[in-house]
Amino acid sequence: MTSRPLAAAASALAEGPRAPLAELADPASVLAGLMDLHGSVSLARELSLLDRHPAPPPAAEGARAEVRALASDRLDELAAALDHVFAAPFHRRNKLPDAAAVLATLEQTGVLGAARDRAGRALASAAGQIWEPFGELMGRLIGRIRLETRALREELAPSLRALGPEAARLERLDAAIAAATQKRRERALAELVPGLSRAFARALRAAVGALPEGAGIEQVAGWFGQEQWLVRELQRMELVVQAVLAHEAGRLLSLVDGAAAAGAPA
């Protein structure tokens, strides 16, 4: 069990039915599903120490708005950088194959050419090789989201704790829950790229099966056009990236807003 954005992404990749998103409405159920025994014990230990910290001094005027603005600005910058990647996915910086490279792989694996084999191991090998740079790009993007949101969380922690005793307690509670649920959250994230790989292979199989005899660069280049299967797979990748960002940003902004509310004067 995981957050609503990641559950939506997983459902989009699944071949069979998935659990309805309504099951994610109960926060206690979500939290329980994200913890194993070790995480539960760790969380209990951290909770027992939660109130053993000295109270911070009163927050400066405008501190709550400054923390929220910083978090929003940084997350907006990250979102813009990710949008830039998918605005021109075949730019050389992304290291994705062009039509000639895809055709060469299909010929080298025997999917096209004199000894063509449009099914079985040849097509599976071609799908794996063609997907590889797409998978590497997804790994870099998801890794960037996690790295930058984690760094931002660490940067904001002192400012959140400085908003007041209740805000400081909330920040420490969030850190304890994050540590206790880390393994299960990582497992959920780790399922996304393999799911994209399987969807990509299914789409490639259908596209190869529709190629005419003697197909060459012109037909393969057509896959890169609007409304074609390859563009749809890139859109699927973009949706997954957006879901991961929504998951990480949502957690962080919820903490910031909660700490700001907790630290507000009565």
Side-chain angles (χ1 to χ4, degrees):
M1 189 173 292
T2 184
S3 72
R4 187 173 294 268
L6 293 188
S11 295
L13 299 176
E15 293 183 73
R18 304 283 294 210
L21 296 184
E23 293 186 5
L24 301 175
D26 179 13
S29 298
V30 173
L31 180 59
L34 285 171
M35 287 192 294
D36 54 16
L37 178 61
H38 181 270
S40 300
V41 172
S42 175
L43 179 59
R45 182 175 61 251
E46 292 297 327
L47 290 177
S48 69
L49 302 173
L50 200 60
D51 295 317
R52 299 185 184 182
H53 298 270
E61 186 72 22
R64 286 178 292 279
E66 290 176 4
V67 174
R68 185 57 160 82
L70 175 59
S72 296
D73 288 348
R74 293 285 187 82
L75 291 171
D76 287 346
E77 289 173 5
L78 177 56
L82 297 171
D83 289 343
H84 184 63
V85 170
F86 288 100
F90 291 100
H91 191 283
R92 62 179 179 273
R93 65 173 171 268
N94 294 329
K95 302 178 181 178
L96 298 183
D98 58 13
V102 171
L103 177 62
T105 299
L106 293 174
E107 291 176 341
Q108 290 164 8
T109 55
V111 174
L112 296 182
R116 63 184 179 276
D117 175 10
R118 297 190 181 182
R121 285 182 293 180
L123 185 53
S125 176
Q129 292 181 45
I130 294 170
W131 165 256
E132 185 175 357
F134 291 89
E136 290 174 351
L137 175 62
M138 284 298 298
R140 291 195 301 272
L141 295 178
I142 292 175
R144 178 178 181 178
I145 292 170
R146 301 193 66 201
L147 178 65
E148 293 196 20
T149 53
R150 184 165 56 246
L152 180 57
R153 168 67 174 81
E154 293 172 358
E155 180 182 346
L156 293 175
S159 298
L160 293 173
R161 291 193 294 268
L163 294 179
E166 291 303 315
R169 189 177 191 278
L170 180 61
E171 188 280 326
R172 290 192 293 269
L173 177 60
D174 176 80
I177 291 175
T181 60
Q182 181 177 358
K183 288 184 179 179
R184 291 289 176 88
R185 287 185 290 109
E186 288 180 349
R187 190 178 305 168
L189 288 169
E191 293 174 355
L192 295 176
V193 174
L196 284 167
S197 175
R198 292 189 293 271
F200 187 94
R202 292 194 298 269
L204 175 63
R205 186 181 304 114
V208 167
L211 287 174
E213 293 295 327
I217 188 65
E218 182 178 353
Q219 287 74 26
V220 172
W223 291 349
F224 290 71
Q226 292 299 318
E227 306 302 324
Q228 296 300 311
W229 76 271
L230 188 53
V231 173
R232 290 194 295 272
E233 291 307 307
L234 282 164
Q235 292 169 343
R236 191 196 305 268
M237 292 167 60
E238 184 176 11
L239 288 173
V240 168
V241 167
Q242 291 173 345
V244 174
L245 178 60
H247 168 72
E248 299 291 349
R251 290 180 59 239
L252 184 52
L253 290 176
S254 293
L255 169 62
V256 171
D257 290 341

